[in-house]
Amino acid sequence: MTAFIAVDWGSTSFRAWSIRAGGQVLAESRSAEGMLHCAGSATGFAPVLQAHLAHLAAPADTPVLICGMAGARQGWIEAPYATLPAPVAALAGAAVRVPAEQTEGRDVRILPGLAQQIESDVMRGEETQLLGLALAGHQGLACMPGTHCKWALLQNGQVAGFRSYLTGELFDLLSRHSILRHAMPESLRIAPDDPAFLAALDLALADPAALFGALFGIRAAELLGTRSKGESAARLSGLLIGAEVGCQLRAAEGQAVVLVGQAGLGALYAAALHRAGLSFTPADAEEATRAGLIAAAREIWGTAQCKQ
Amino acid sequence: MTAFIAVDWGSTSFRAWSIRAGGQVLAESRSAEGMLHCAGSATGFAPVLQAHLAHLAAPADTPVLICGMAGARQGWIEAPYATLPAPVAALAGAAVRVPAEQTEGRDVRILPGLAQQIESDVMRGEETQLLGLALAGHQGLACMPGTHCKWALLQNGQVAGFRSYLTGELFDLLSRHSILRHAMPESLRIAPDDPAFLAALDLALADPAALFGALFGIRAAELLGTRSKGESAARLSGLLIGAEVGCQLRAAEGQAVVLVGQAGLGALYAAALHRAGLSFTPADAEEATRAGLIAAAREIWGTAQCKQ
């Protein structure tokens, strides 16, 4: 029997699971109706959630716990950032309830994002994943590749600090919208064992700042015929990922590293970590998100609700 | 009496001067009809040049010497890159003549761009400016701010090597098209004594790679209310320019530096060079371009033509 519905509502994707009291997944419903879709349409957020709840055949009194961009200022209901350090109890306690008139009376709550004040940084959604990882016993650094890649320090079951990198967005901007676009092939898929990717990784890992002086050269080399378009894309990716990992090397010293994987991008980061001499444990992003949502749901609705 | 017409035909601007044999400027004609305008219109290049020649009242037999993007592959007539090292004679000797049917029989030539093979890099237009600087006695490093900022080493009257940085284009992409755009004010004009600009300069000069970990924080700080939009723009500019100058510090050691100025951007680079502890001589970009074109014209048409 369903104890609650767990939802990961990101910028571009929606994922919901009905969860039993023991934490097992009963059913799943996913779509591309992310925050950007809902905020930009006349439909809005409520009908999207209702449709997925219907698809999951969720009883009318089953509560829903949401993490991610649905809680952003431009999302459904703003769930103001919680601040560091953030144990499960702090996140759960800061969850914001969606007004009942928008939920047909159902108890629907959105977990806050996480803000770091000293070195300004924010996240929405990853904090729940990180709690899931912490609860699974991970300690040390978590590397979370993506448009805005994040490196977080897990200590004593909570997030102690983190830093975001624009790496994914920079690759997109440079490969599609800068002068370098003239040197890019149609397919921007990079193989993690591409020699041009690996050579660029090594260059940037050894000296992250070398990236600056190497970017324009990508266009020049293609223009002068000394590098193919496929090699140019691999070089750009290797320079950017290598610079990011290179910047984190000092922080990674003596720490266990967990790589929160995504299909293609995860393999590129795995190659970078390997090249940097960092051993790491892979982790599944969705599993971590669900574990974080389950822990927070127990905190909010108590063991009775989640063990009925 | 006009000896020849000197033209600087850039991506977005056209500038022509009628030059006396002694090198003095008799008249000037300028517009926004750069390479991108001409290549993208049905008009093309020839009528634009003719209109400016008419405006300068250039006699039908006066030759024309052009530098810049008009010689690019996507320009008027491709003038293949000359390679390093590049004294005046090499550039002048590699000038390409525009077919007479496109010039009403006039002798019109386009100077080549400059290519560096070992660390792939290219320039078009700046090489002529650099020759002008070299002829004026400049030795050492020339810093040329712009969309694609260039640092060139001048030795014994020629360009010995150079490196381009995407700094200006990165500022544009990040401030207008990335997640950071949400943190930017309407006016992106930065004052060279803005404290947020100077603090970011210092950070990136000391550690150019620090930029990577600091970019996303610009958005986060504005979101958390700890930095205004004006400060965010100044910080982005300071981080980018500081990282570029910081990357060049080792190359600048023991070298004289000349800063080839442009109004607003030149002042920001002057602040960065000052903050980096580099003393420099300012130079006028247009004057340098004309000096390079005059020297090349003398090489091509001889002293007779240029002293008639």
Side-chain angles (χ1 to χ4, degrees), chain A residues 151-192:
Chain A
W151 290 74
L153 183 60
L154 297 174
Q155 272 176 345
N156 309 319
Q158 58 192 26
V159 183
F162 62 99
R163 170 156 285 186
S164 305
Y165 290 85
L166 277 183
T167 313
E169 185 164 13
L170 273 173
F171 181 80
D172 189 63
L173 284 173
L174 288 167
S175 62
R176 296 179 199 274
H177 302 288
S178 82
I179 183 93
L180 305 190
R181 72 185 184 279
H182 299 299
M184 294 292 137
E186 281 190 30
S187 162
L188 291 170
R189 193 166 290 271
I190 319 289

Short mmCIF file of all heavy atoms in Angstrom, two decimals, chain A residues 151-192:
data_model
loop_
_atom_site.label_atom_id
_atom_site.label_comp_id
_atom_site.label_asym_id
_atom_site.label_seq_id
_atom_site.Cartn_x
_atom_site.Cartn_y
_atom_site.Cartn_z
N TRP A 151 29.95 19.93 -6.64
CA TRP A 151 30.82 19.11 -5.79
C TRP A 151 30.42 19.43 -4.36
O TRP A 151 30.48 20.60 -3.94
CB TRP A 151 32.29 19.47 -5.99
CG TRP A 151 32.83 19.06 -7.32
CD1 TRP A 151 32.58 19.65 -8.52
CD2 TRP A 151 33.73 17.98 -7.58
NE1 TRP A 151 33.26 19.00 -9.53
CE2 TRP A 151 33.99 17.97 -8.97
CE3 TRP A 151 34.35 17.02 -6.78
CZ2 TRP A 151 34.82 17.04 -9.57
CZ3 TRP A 151 35.19 16.10 -7.39
CH2 TRP A 151 35.42 16.11 -8.77
N ALA A 152 30.01 18.41 -3.61
CA ALA A 152 29.54 18.65 -2.24
C ALA A 152 30.33 17.82 -1.26
O ALA A 152 30.73 16.69 -1.56
CB ALA A 152 28.06 18.32 -2.15
N LEU A 153 30.54 18.36 -0.08
CA LEU A 153 31.24 17.64 0.97
C LEU A 153 30.22 17.07 1.95
O LEU A 153 29.43 17.82 2.54
CB LEU A 153 32.21 18.60 1.69
CG LEU A 153 33.07 17.95 2.79
CD1 LEU A 153 33.96 16.85 2.21
CD2 LEU A 153 33.93 19.01 3.48
N LEU A 154 30.23 15.74 2.07
CA LEU A 154 29.32 15.05 3.00
C LEU A 154 30.08 14.71 4.27
O LEU A 154 31.13 14.07 4.20
CB LEU A 154 28.78 13.77 2.35
CG LEU A 154 27.94 13.96 1.09
CD1 LEU A 154 27.59 12.62 0.47
CD2 LEU A 154 26.68 14.74 1.42
N GLN A 155 29.53 15.14 5.40
CA GLN A 155 30.18 14.86 6.69
C GLN A 155 29.12 14.59 7.74
O GLN A 155 28.17 15.38 7.87
CB GLN A 155 31.02 16.07 7.14
CG GLN A 155 32.44 16.04 6.61
CD GLN A 155 33.22 17.30 6.99
OE1 GLN A 155 32.62 18.29 7.40
NE2 GLN A 155 34.53 17.26 6.83
N ASN A 156 29.27 13.47 8.45
CA ASN A 156 28.35 13.15 9.54
C ASN A 156 26.88 13.20 9.12
O ASN A 156 26.05 13.79 9.80
CB ASN A 156 28.58 14.09 10.73
CG ASN A 156 30.05 14.14 11.12
OD1 ASN A 156 30.72 13.10 11.14
ND2 ASN A 156 30.56 15.33 11.39
N GLY A 157 26.59 12.65 7.97
CA GLY A 157 25.20 12.55 7.55
C GLY A 157 24.56 13.83 7.06
O GLY A 157 23.35 13.91 6.90
N GLN A 158 25.37 14.84 6.79
CA GLN A 158 24.78 16.08 6.26
C GLN A 158 25.72 16.76 5.26
O GLN A 158 26.89 16.40 5.14
CB GLN A 158 24.41 17.02 7.39
CG GLN A 158 25.58 17.41 8.29
CD GLN A 158 25.10 18.11 9.55
OE1 GLN A 158 23.97 17.89 10.00
NE2 GLN A 158 25.93 18.95 10.13
N VAL A 159 25.16 17.73 4.54
CA VAL A 159 25.95 18.48 3.57
C VAL A 159 26.71 19.58 4.30
O VAL A 159 26.11 20.45 4.93
CB VAL A 159 25.03 19.12 2.50
CG1 VAL A 159 25.87 19.83 1.44
CG2 VAL A 159 24.13 18.08 1.87
N ALA A 160 28.04 19.54 4.22
CA ALA A 160 28.86 20.50 4.97
C ALA A 160 29.23 21.71 4.12
O ALA A 160 29.51 22.80 4.64
CB ALA A 160 30.12 19.83 5.48
N GLY A 161 29.22 21.56 2.79
CA GLY A 161 29.57 22.66 1.90
C GLY A 161 29.52 22.18 0.46
O GLY A 161 29.51 20.97 0.21
N PHE A 162 29.45 23.11 -0.49
CA PHE A 162 29.42 22.68 -1.90
C PHE A 162 29.85 23.82 -2.82
O PHE A 162 29.91 24.98 -2.41
CB PHE A 162 28.04 22.18 -2.29
CG PHE A 162 26.93 23.19 -2.19
CD1 PHE A 162 26.48 23.87 -3.31
CD2 PHE A 162 26.33 23.46 -0.96
CE1 PHE A 162 25.46 24.81 -3.21
CE2 PHE A 162 25.31 24.40 -0.85
CZ PHE A 162 24.88 25.07 -1.98
N ARG A 163 30.14 23.44 -4.04
CA ARG A 163 30.53 24.42 -5.06
C ARG A 163 29.99 23.98 -6.42
O ARG A 163 30.10 22.82 -6.80
CB ARG A 163 32.05 24.54 -5.12
CG ARG A 163 32.54 25.35 -6.30
CD ARG A 163 33.90 25.94 -6.06
NE ARG A 163 33.82 27.07 -5.15
CZ ARG A 163 34.85 27.86 -4.85
NH1 ARG A 163 36.02 27.64 -5.39
NH2 ARG A 163 34.71 28.89 -4.03
N SER A 164 29.40 24.96 -7.13
CA SER A 164 28.83 24.68 -8.45
C SER A 164 29.74 25.20 -9.55
O SER A 164 30.38 26.24 -9.39
CB SER A 164 27.47 25.36 -8.59
OG SER A 164 26.62 24.99 -7.54
N TYR A 165 29.77 24.48 -10.66
CA TYR A 165 30.54 24.88 -11.83
C TYR A 165 29.61 24.97 -13.03
O TYR A 165 28.73 24.14 -13.20
CB TYR A 165 31.64 23.85 -12.13
CG TYR A 165 32.75 23.85 -11.11
CD1 TYR A 165 32.63 23.12 -9.93
CD2 TYR A 165 33.90 24.60 -11.32
CE1 TYR A 165 33.65 23.13 -8.98
CE2 TYR A 165 34.92 24.60 -10.38
CZ TYR A 165 34.79 23.87 -9.21
OH TYR A 165 35.79 23.88 -8.28
N LEU A 166 29.85 25.96 -13.89
CA LEU A 166 29.01 26.16 -15.08
C LEU A 166 29.42 25.25 -16.24
O LEU A 166 29.01 25.49 -17.37
CB LEU A 166 29.14 27.61 -15.56
CG LEU A 166 28.29 28.69 -14.90
CD1 LEU A 166 28.55 30.02 -15.59
CD2 LEU A 166 26.82 28.34 -15.03
N THR A 167 30.22 24.24 -15.99
CA THR A 167 30.86 23.45 -17.05
C THR A 167 29.93 23.03 -18.19
O THR A 167 30.23 23.24 -19.36
CB THR A 167 31.52 22.21 -16.43
OG1 THR A 167 32.25 22.63 -15.28
CG2 THR A 167 32.44 21.52 -17.41
N GLY A 168 28.79 22.42 -17.84
CA GLY A 168 27.88 21.94 -18.89
C GLY A 168 27.32 23.09 -19.71
O GLY A 168 27.24 23.01 -20.94
N GLU A 169 26.96 24.16 -19.04
CA GLU A 169 26.41 25.31 -19.76
C GLU A 169 27.48 25.97 -20.63
O GLU A 169 27.20 26.41 -21.74
CB GLU A 169 25.82 26.32 -18.77
CG GLU A 169 25.13 27.46 -19.48
CD GLU A 169 24.20 28.28 -18.60
OE1 GLU A 169 24.24 28.15 -17.37
OE2 GLU A 169 23.43 29.07 -19.18
N LEU A 170 28.71 26.04 -20.13
CA LEU A 170 29.81 26.60 -20.92
C LEU A 170 30.04 25.78 -22.18
O LEU A 170 30.27 26.33 -23.27
CB LEU A 170 31.10 26.66 -20.09
CG LEU A 170 31.31 27.90 -19.24
CD1 LEU A 170 32.54 27.73 -18.35
CD2 LEU A 170 31.47 29.14 -20.12
N PHE A 171 29.99 24.46 -22.06
CA PHE A 171 30.17 23.62 -23.25
C PHE A 171 29.09 23.94 -24.28
O PHE A 171 29.37 24.09 -25.47
CB PHE A 171 30.14 22.13 -22.89
CG PHE A 171 30.35 21.24 -24.08
CD1 PHE A 171 31.63 21.00 -24.56
CD2 PHE A 171 29.28 20.67 -24.75
CE1 PHE A 171 31.84 20.21 -25.69
CE2 PHE A 171 29.49 19.88 -25.88
CZ PHE A 171 30.77 19.64 -26.34
N ASP A 172 27.87 24.07 -23.80
CA ASP A 172 26.76 24.37 -24.70
C ASP A 172 26.92 25.75 -25.35
O ASP A 172 26.81 25.88 -26.58
CB ASP A 172 25.45 24.30 -23.91
CG ASP A 172 24.25 24.38 -24.82
OD1 ASP A 172 24.10 23.47 -25.66
OD2 ASP A 172 23.48 25.35 -24.73
N LEU A 173 27.23 26.76 -24.56
CA LEU A 173 27.37 28.12 -25.09
C LEU A 173 28.52 28.19 -26.10
O LEU A 173 28.39 28.77 -27.17
CB LEU A 173 27.65 29.11 -23.95
CG LEU A 173 26.46 29.51 -23.08
CD1 LEU A 173 26.94 30.34 -21.89
CD2 LEU A 173 25.43 30.27 -23.89
N LEU A 174 29.67 27.60 -25.72
CA LEU A 174 30.84 27.70 -26.58
C LEU A 174 30.68 26.88 -27.86
O LEU A 174 31.05 27.32 -28.94
CB LEU A 174 32.10 27.26 -25.82
CG LEU A 174 32.56 28.25 -24.75
CD1 LEU A 174 33.60 27.62 -23.82
CD2 LEU A 174 33.14 29.50 -25.40
N SER A 175 30.08 25.70 -27.74
CA SER A 175 30.00 24.83 -28.92
C SER A 175 28.88 25.26 -29.87
O SER A 175 28.96 25.00 -31.06
CB SER A 175 29.80 23.37 -28.51
OG SER A 175 28.59 23.22 -27.80
N ARG A 176 27.86 25.93 -29.35
CA ARG A 176 26.73 26.28 -30.21
C ARG A 176 26.64 27.77 -30.53
O ARG A 176 26.02 28.15 -31.52
CB ARG A 176 25.41 25.88 -29.55
CG ARG A 176 25.26 24.38 -29.38
CD ARG A 176 23.94 24.04 -28.70
NE ARG A 176 23.97 22.71 -28.14
CZ ARG A 176 23.67 21.61 -28.82
NH1 ARG A 176 23.34 21.68 -30.08
NH2 ARG A 176 23.72 20.43 -28.23
N HIS A 177 27.20 28.63 -29.68
CA HIS A 177 26.95 30.06 -29.86
C HIS A 177 28.19 30.93 -29.96
O HIS A 177 28.07 32.12 -30.18
CB HIS A 177 26.06 30.56 -28.70
CG HIS A 177 24.76 29.82 -28.61
ND1 HIS A 177 23.74 30.00 -29.52
CD2 HIS A 177 24.32 28.88 -27.74
CE1 HIS A 177 22.72 29.21 -29.21
NE2 HIS A 177 23.05 28.51 -28.14
N SER A 178 29.38 30.37 -29.77
CA SER A 178 30.58 31.21 -29.87
C SER A 178 31.26 31.00 -31.22
O SER A 178 30.80 30.22 -32.05
CB SER A 178 31.57 30.84 -28.74
OG SER A 178 32.33 29.70 -29.11
N ILE A 179 32.38 31.69 -31.44
CA ILE A 179 33.16 31.51 -32.66
C ILE A 179 33.58 30.05 -32.83
O ILE A 179 33.77 29.58 -33.96
CB ILE A 179 34.41 32.43 -32.61
CG1 ILE A 179 35.25 32.36 -33.89
CG2 ILE A 179 35.33 32.08 -31.44
CD1 ILE A 179 34.90 33.38 -34.90
N LEU A 180 33.67 29.30 -31.73
CA LEU A 180 34.07 27.89 -31.81
C LEU A 180 33.02 27.02 -32.51
O LEU A 180 33.32 25.91 -32.92
CB LEU A 180 34.34 27.32 -30.40
CG LEU A 180 35.35 28.03 -29.53
CD1 LEU A 180 35.66 27.19 -28.29
CD2 LEU A 180 36.62 28.34 -30.28
N ARG A 181 31.80 27.53 -32.64
CA ARG A 181 30.75 26.72 -33.28
C ARG A 181 31.15 26.35 -34.72
O ARG A 181 30.76 25.31 -35.23
CB ARG A 181 29.40 27.44 -33.26
CG ARG A 181 29.30 28.64 -34.20
CD ARG A 181 27.98 29.38 -34.04
NE ARG A 181 27.83 30.47 -34.98
CZ ARG A 181 28.36 31.69 -34.84
NH1 ARG A 181 29.07 31.96 -33.76
NH2 ARG A 181 28.19 32.61 -35.75
N HIS A 182 31.95 27.23 -35.35
CA HIS A 182 32.40 26.95 -36.72
C HIS A 182 33.32 25.73 -36.78
O HIS A 182 33.56 25.18 -37.84
CB HIS A 182 33.14 28.15 -37.30
CG HIS A 182 32.30 29.39 -37.37
ND1 HIS A 182 31.15 29.47 -38.12
CD2 HIS A 182 32.44 30.60 -36.77
CE1 HIS A 182 30.62 30.68 -37.98
NE2 HIS A 182 31.38 31.38 -37.17
N ALA A 183 33.88 25.35 -35.62
CA ALA A 183 34.81 24.21 -35.59
C ALA A 183 34.15 22.95 -35.05
O ALA A 183 34.83 21.95 -34.83
CB ALA A 183 36.03 24.58 -34.73
N MET A 184 32.82 22.98 -34.83
CA MET A 184 32.16 21.84 -34.20
C MET A 184 31.44 20.94 -35.23
O MET A 184 30.87 21.44 -36.20
CB MET A 184 31.13 22.34 -33.17
CG MET A 184 31.76 23.06 -31.99
SD MET A 184 32.72 21.93 -30.92
CE MET A 184 34.18 22.95 -30.60
N PRO A 185 31.44 19.64 -34.96
CA PRO A 185 30.73 18.70 -35.84
C PRO A 185 29.24 18.74 -35.52
O PRO A 185 28.83 19.37 -34.54
CB PRO A 185 31.33 17.35 -35.45
CG PRO A 185 31.68 17.53 -34.01
CD PRO A 185 32.07 18.97 -33.82
N GLU A 186 28.43 18.05 -36.34
CA GLU A 186 26.98 18.04 -36.07
C GLU A 186 26.66 17.33 -34.77
O GLU A 186 25.87 17.79 -33.97
CB GLU A 186 26.23 17.41 -37.24
CG GLU A 186 26.08 18.39 -38.39
CD GLU A 186 25.14 17.89 -39.46
OE1 GLU A 186 24.20 17.13 -39.14
OE2 GLU A 186 25.37 18.25 -40.63
N SER A 187 27.27 16.16 -34.58
CA SER A 187 27.04 15.44 -33.33
C SER A 187 28.10 15.81 -32.31
O SER A 187 29.30 15.73 -32.57
CB SER A 187 27.08 13.93 -33.57
OG SER A 187 27.26 13.28 -32.31
N LEU A 188 27.64 16.24 -31.15
CA LEU A 188 28.59 16.67 -30.11
C LEU A 188 28.81 15.57 -29.07
O LEU A 188 29.29 15.82 -27.98
CB LEU A 188 28.07 17.94 -29.44
CG LEU A 188 28.10 19.19 -30.33
CD1 LEU A 188 27.34 20.34 -29.69
CD2 LEU A 188 29.54 19.62 -30.61
N ARG A 189 28.46 14.33 -29.42
CA ARG A 189 28.67 13.23 -28.48
C ARG A 189 30.16 12.88 -28.43
O ARG A 189 30.78 12.66 -29.47
CB ARG A 189 27.83 12.03 -28.94
CG ARG A 189 27.71 10.92 -27.89
CD ARG A 189 26.60 9.95 -28.28
NE ARG A 189 25.30 10.58 -28.13
CZ ARG A 189 24.59 10.56 -27.00
NH1 ARG A 189 25.05 9.95 -25.94
NH2 ARG A 189 23.42 11.15 -26.94
N ILE A 190 30.72 12.85 -27.24
CA ILE A 190 32.17 12.58 -27.09
C ILE A 190 32.34 11.18 -26.48
O ILE A 190 31.67 10.84 -25.51
CB ILE A 190 32.82 13.59 -26.12
CG1 ILE A 190 32.29 15.00 -26.33
CG2 ILE A 190 34.34 13.50 -26.19
CD1 ILE A 190 32.72 15.67 -27.57
N ALA A 191 33.27 10.41 -27.01
CA ALA A 191 33.58 9.11 -26.40
C ALA A 191 34.61 9.32 -25.29
O ALA A 191 35.57 10.08 -25.47
CB ALA A 191 34.15 8.17 -27.46
N PRO A 192 34.41 8.65 -24.14
CA PRO A 192 35.31 8.88 -23.00
C PRO A 192 36.74 8.39 -23.24
O PRO A 192 37.63 8.72 -22.46
CB PRO A 192 34.65 8.12 -21.85
CG PRO A 192 33.69 7.17 -22.48
CD PRO A 192 33.29 7.76 -23.80
#
